[in-house]
Amino acid sequence: MVVNILFAFFDPHNSYSPVEELFPGHLSRSVGLPCNLKQFFAGCNPNARFAIRFAFHDAGGYSSKTSAYGPATGGADGSLLLNDNENARGGNNPMQTFRGTLLQKLAQYNQSGPVGAADLVQFAGSVAIRSCGGGPVVKTVVGRGDDANACPENMLPAAFGAGADHGTLTQLFLDKGIGATDLAALMGAHTVSQSFAQQADGIPIGAPQDTTPTTWDNKYYQQFDSSTPAGVSHFESDANLARANITVGAEFARFARDTDAWTSAFTGAMARLSVLGIPTDVVGHFTDCTSLIQAL
Ligand code: HEM
């Protein structure tokens, strides 16, 4: 249990903290860690984009088809940060360097009090989303248990080739408890994506998935409606999900028209993703620190 993520840095000069309402008496110790991460992610830089994807890949290790184990059955348990083998899997390329830096930060934060890997991964994801211009506030909780065991193989979606078809992808996400609307909303995170590891599938190094990869906007959806702008590359998976004649694709079209609808759907889906695999009654006892994200 790691509510101390809130208090990881002692900052005697901080005169106000939104955490005060949650933890009276801890007024002066709270915002150091979020502020440190905010600087690390300044301007929706590559670390910010890695952090958002990293949060998805850690939580995405869950499936309802896996027999229950550990704190999250492979879901939001910090295993992507803690386990060398899981991190080295090809589907996590090219996030290995980022993992090393986040491990250093975990050690650094733990000098001021216990901070869990699973909490740090999801907390960092929320800070990173907020660090991208227009990024929404995602409900952010702490209290997760950690698991250093690798999650099962083949839990993450394929971007190209076998498994990148609409039917396989929607079933993979359904097995995680993520339906069509949530899936369509989560895919919008590719609004801040640039690809560095898909050259074998024809994606140029650094190619973005919309024309504004440091801004959190709904151009990702809009640019499936019209012809793909110069310099933008779509993954096969995304193009398959965007097809208008399927439910996920219809949601893509709705989010292209309606930013508020996307924001509402995304924030709900991302909050659910951030606790994937953790029993509901356990999540019910977590500490809500959304106000720290809001304050950034
Ligand atoms: C069908 C589902 C998905 C597939 C197949 C997929 C696949 C990919 C691939 C291939 C990349 C590029 C990696 C690289 O070459 O550097 C990428 C980037 C990214 N993905 Fe996804 N993804 C999916 C869903 C998601 C979801 C649900 C999220 C978060 C909620 C997410 C967040 C990101 C982010 C932020 C990046 C950018 C990373 C960067 O710029 O370095 N993705 N994804």
Side-chain angles (χ1 to χ4, degrees):
M1 288 293 170
V2 193
V3 292
N4 277 340
I5 194 168
L6 304 176
F7 310 132
F9 278 359
F10 179 76
D11 179 4
H13 305 298
N14 175 36
S15 58
Y16 168 73
S17 163
V19 170
E20 165 75 355
E21 295 151 27
L22 298 171
F23 297 91
H26 289 283
L27 178 64
S28 61
R29 305 189 287 158
S30 61
V31 297
L33 189 153
C35 288
N36 179 264
L37 285 176
K38 188 184 175 191
Q39 285 163 8
F40 183 44
F41 299 146
C44 199
N45 63 22
N47 289 321
R49 304 197 306 267
F50 283 141
I52 300 166
R53 188 172 179 229
F54 205 89
F56 163 49
H57 281 211
D58 188 38
Y62 170 75
S63 169
S64 58
K65 289 183 171 163
T66 307
S67 300
Y69 75 89
T73 311
D77 58 9
S79 60
L80 182 60
L81 185 58
L82 296 174
N83 188 284
D84 294 348
N85 294 331
E86 179 175 337
N87 195 266
R89 290 174 187 164
N92 294 319
N93 291 349
M95 296 195 289
Q96 288 77 14
T97 306
F98 171 77
R99 181 240 185 171
T101 311
L102 203 59
L103 275 175
Q104 285 171 10
K105 290 203 171 285
L106 182 67
Q108 180 192 345
Y109 299 148
N110 269 291
Q111 287 171 8
S112 306
V115 174
D119 281 340
L120 179 61
V121 168
Q122 297 304 326
F123 193 88
S126 290
V127 176
I129 289 167
R130 196 77 177 127
S131 302
C132 295
V137 175
V138 174
K139 180 179 179 185
T140 303
V141 295
V142 291
R144 294 168 190 78
D146 289 349
D147 190 351
N149 295 300
C151 75
E153 301 260 13
N154 303 319
M155 289 292 135
L156 294 174
F160 294 92
D165 59 290
H166 162 259
T168 305
L169 290 172
T170 49
Q171 188 59 53
L172 181 83
F173 278 90
L174 268 182
D175 291 343
K176 303 180 193 302
I178 296 170
T181 298
D182 278 4
L183 173 55
L186 289 170
M187 293 308 295
H190 283 178
T191 182
V192 292
S193 174
Q194 278 180 257
S195 172
F196 290 89
Q198 317 301 318
Q199 298 96 285
D201 290 299
I203 307 291
I205 292 181
Q209 278 58 72
D210 76 8
T211 45
T212 53
T214 56
T215 304
W216 193 275
D217 57 23
N218 64 344
K219 285 197 170 54
Y220 166 79
Y221 296 112
Q222 292 173 352
Q223 291 171 357
F224 277 107
D225 276 0
S226 49
S227 59
T228 308
V232 170
S233 296
H234 295 312
F235 307 139
E236 189 183 331
S237 50
D238 299 35
N240 287 338
L241 291 172
R243 288 201 327 264
N245 62 343
I246 57 168
T247 313
V248 181
E251 294 294 66
F252 267 53
R254 184 165 69 95
F255 297 147
R257 292 189 304 270
D258 188 342
T259 308
D260 291 345
W262 173 47
T263 301
S264 169
F266 177 83
T267 51
M270 194 68 205
R272 286 186 284 281
L273 181 75
S274 77
V275 291
L276 216 58
I278 306 170
T280 312
D281 58 323
V282 177
V283 174
H285 291 98
F286 285 1
T287 300
D288 189 337
C289 55
T290 311
S291 55
L292 290 177
I293 307 298
Q294 180 81 58
L296 289 173

